[in-house]
Amino acid sequence: MSNSKQKNILEVLIILALILAILGFSVIKLGLAPQVPIMAAIALLILWGKMHRESWHLIHQGITKGISTGLIPMIIFILIGALIGVWIAAGIIPSMMVLGFEIVNPHIFIPSVFVICSVVGVAVGSAFTVTSTVGIAFLGIGLSMGFSPALIAGAVISGAVFGDKMSPLSDSTNLSAAIAEVDLFLHIRNLMWTTIPAFFIALIGFAILGTNSQEVPLEKITEISQLLQSQFTISWWSAVPVILIFVCAQIKLPAIPTLFISIAVGIIMLLATKTNVSIKEVADIIQNGYVSKTDNATIDTLLTHGGIQSMMWSISLIILALALGGLLVELGVISTLMNLLVRQLNTRGKLILTTALSCIGINLLVGEQYLSIILPGNAFKEQYAVNGLHPLALSRVLEDSGAVVNSLVPWSVSGVFMAATLGVPTLDYLPFAFFCLLCPIITVIAGFTNIGIKKLA
């Protein structure tokens, strides 16, 4: 294994360029699903590894290590698929939609979505939970009002990622603070230098694009609301499972037991409101999702959703992407590239720019947000001290350019989840995910201007 960690830098750059070319051309230019291009990239990487006489044990170990980082997220994906199906059937998500029709002003709908998802995200600490619950409800409301699904998804994801980033309950926020070895709440406070400007610029963008210049079709909204009330049990009791998620978040219950509890409560509500539903039908909803039959194309497309099987496409993509990432790490490609980058750093601005680009690069190559924090964090930690920068400067860059960017990569864990849950391709919502796009830009600008950059005493 000793020769696996040192590779010729020219070879490494050529391999990385080929992998990115395969993925970019296939997914962006040809519009292919990412699985086949990633398989081609894996085959290329294995061939290159064997040319360097790497053992099959090492190659298998790289694949195994890569996939192992995504096992918990994949279990969470499966549970969220079940949750969505049960919550639709029980009337929980339809109740959110009906309530939303009554309280949300259509003329400021898009900025309202961004703000509400941000608040819920801070309270819950999970972008996945926000997107799969209130996000789906907002998508249904927005489509009924005639808004673009890509714009709605951009607002939902921007708000969900903001909440995830600024919440002390978030895994990525805690990880960034831990890697840089700083206090969690000092880290969150320091994030405000880049997060608050990104939030308000994004809010202005959503206000401009989300202004409904045409008369809102109130008759259509009323018709859809009445249709939902005729097909589902619409009740304030539907708020109980949502409140329960907040409670679980506040007592710091992990995601998996929280989702099991939420599914169980949804099943109880489904059986209580629809007495003619059998256990077999409930199991079918959990497995295959809910099938809406309202004769309204918009509602049926939105609410025919969920189920374990709905997440299998996403999970197959995640397994392949993480296998590719594991090979890149185990064959020494990532470490060789990091060593090259570290040697080029001689100013604070360059250091922060290089850290941000490394986080984005790991997201593109590996598709895993935790590794996009861990690998650059460990590689550049010493350089921040050498350049007189406080570890808080590092933790902020890791958060702004690592965790936040993951939702913008079509083959990443977050990108796959968001696209599958909302039914909007990653490349469609990417231009409207303003908050996610702004954070790395602002953190690089801050690095060169020294705005909000904390230095060592």
Side-chain angles (χ1 to χ4, degrees), residues 134-152:
V134 294
I136 291 177
F138 277 135
L139 185 67
I141 298 169
L143 291 176
S144 303
M145 294 179 178
F147 287 102
S148 159
L151 179 59
I152 303 166

Side-chain angles (χ1 to χ4, degrees), residues 134-198:
V134 294
I136 291 177
F138 277 135
L139 185 67
I141 298 169
L143 291 176
S144 303
M145 294 179 178
F147 287 102
S148 159
L151 179 59
I152 303 166
V156 168
I157 292 164
S158 290
V161 171
F162 170 90
D164 195 310
K165 178 183 177 183
M166 296 302 290
S167 175
L169 305 174
S170 165
D171 289 346
S172 63
T173 305
N174 278 273
L175 179 61
S176 297
I179 290 296
E181 300 179 20
V182 296
D183 177 77
L184 173 63
F185 290 96
L186 289 177
H187 166 62
I188 292 174
R189 189 184 309 165
N190 192 53
L191 285 174
M192 292 183 182
W193 284 99
T194 53
T195 305
I196 299 304

Side-chain angles (χ1 to χ4, degrees), residues 39-336:
M39 285 178 63
I42 290 173
L44 172 65
L45 204 54
I46 291 174
L47 176 62
W48 181 70
K50 293 307 292 182
M51 287 171 60
H52 283 271
R53 299 181 181 179
E54 302 288 7
S55 67
W56 285 111
H57 173 74
L58 179 71
I59 291 170
H60 291 162
Q61 182 174 273
I63 293 172
T64 304
K65 283 184 177 180
I67 294 173
S68 66
T69 62
L71 289 178
I72 296 300
M74 283 188 275
I75 296 297
I76 291 173
F77 278 27
I78 290 171
L79 292 176
I80 286 179
L83 176 78
I84 292 170
V86 170
W87 274 29
I88 293 174
I92 297 167
I93 289 177
S95 292
M96 291 184 196
M97 292 175 61
V98 172
L99 178 62
F101 285 133
E102 295 176 359
I103 67 174
V104 175
N105 186 333
H107 296 287
I108 56 169
F109 174 72
I110 295 296
S112 298
V113 169
F114 174 53
V115 172
I116 293 170
C117 286
S118 297
V119 173
V120 175
V122 171
V124 174
S126 169
F128 287 179
T129 303
V130 175
T131 304
S132 60
T133 53
V134 294
I136 291 177
F138 277 135
L139 185 67
I141 298 169
L143 291 176
S144 303
M145 294 179 178
F147 287 102
S148 159
L151 179 59
I152 303 166
V156 168
I157 292 164
S158 290
V161 171
F162 170 90
D164 195 310
K165 178 183 177 183
M166 296 302 290
S167 175
L169 305 174
S170 165
D171 289 346
S172 63
T173 305
N174 278 273
L175 179 61
S176 297
I179 290 296
E181 300 179 20
V182 296
D183 177 77
L184 173 63
F185 290 96
L186 289 177
H187 166 62
I188 292 174
R189 189 184 309 165
N190 192 53
L191 285 174
M192 292 183 182
W193 284 99
T194 53
T195 305
I196 299 304
F199 177 87
F200 282 106
I201 295 172
L203 184 60
I204 293 169
F206 288 127
I208 294 171
L209 293 180
T211 299
N212 200 334
S213 58
Q214 301 178 347
E215 192 62 33
V216 180
L218 296 177
E219 298 81 6
K220 182 180 178 182
I221 292 174
T222 302
E223 177 189 344
I224 290 175
S225 181
Q226 291 174 348
L227 186 61
L228 289 171
Q229 293 180 61
S230 68
Q231 296 289 325
F232 300 94
T233 302
I234 307 299
S235 167
W236 283 98
W237 283 106
S238 297
V240 171
V242 181
I243 294 171
L244 191 59
I245 286 180
F246 282 91
V247 172
C248 291
Q250 294 307 310
I251 63 175
K252 298 183 178 180
L253 194 67
I256 289 177
T258 296
L259 289 169
F260 271 119
I261 292 170
S262 301
I263 292 168
V265 172
I267 292 172
I268 292 170
M269 292 183 65
L270 173 59
L271 295 175
T273 55
K274 296 184 178 181
T275 54
N276 60 334
V277 175
S278 67
I279 297 297
K280 183 178 179 181
E281 289 172 317
V282 173
D284 185 66
I285 290 170
I286 292 172
Q287 179 69 22
N288 299 306
Y290 180 79
V291 179
S292 176
K293 299 176 182 177
T294 65
D295 294 329
N296 181 291
T298 301
I299 294 299
D300 287 345
T301 300
L302 179 73
L303 296 184
T304 299
H305 205 30
I308 293 172
Q309 289 303 317
S310 70
M311 291 296 176
M312 290 300 108
W313 187 94
S314 302
I315 288 175
S316 70
L317 175 52
I318 290 167
I319 289 173
L320 290 170
L322 293 179
L324 175 62
L327 284 171
L328 287 168
V329 172
E330 199 66 21
L331 293 176
V333 174
I334 299 298
S335 61
T336 302

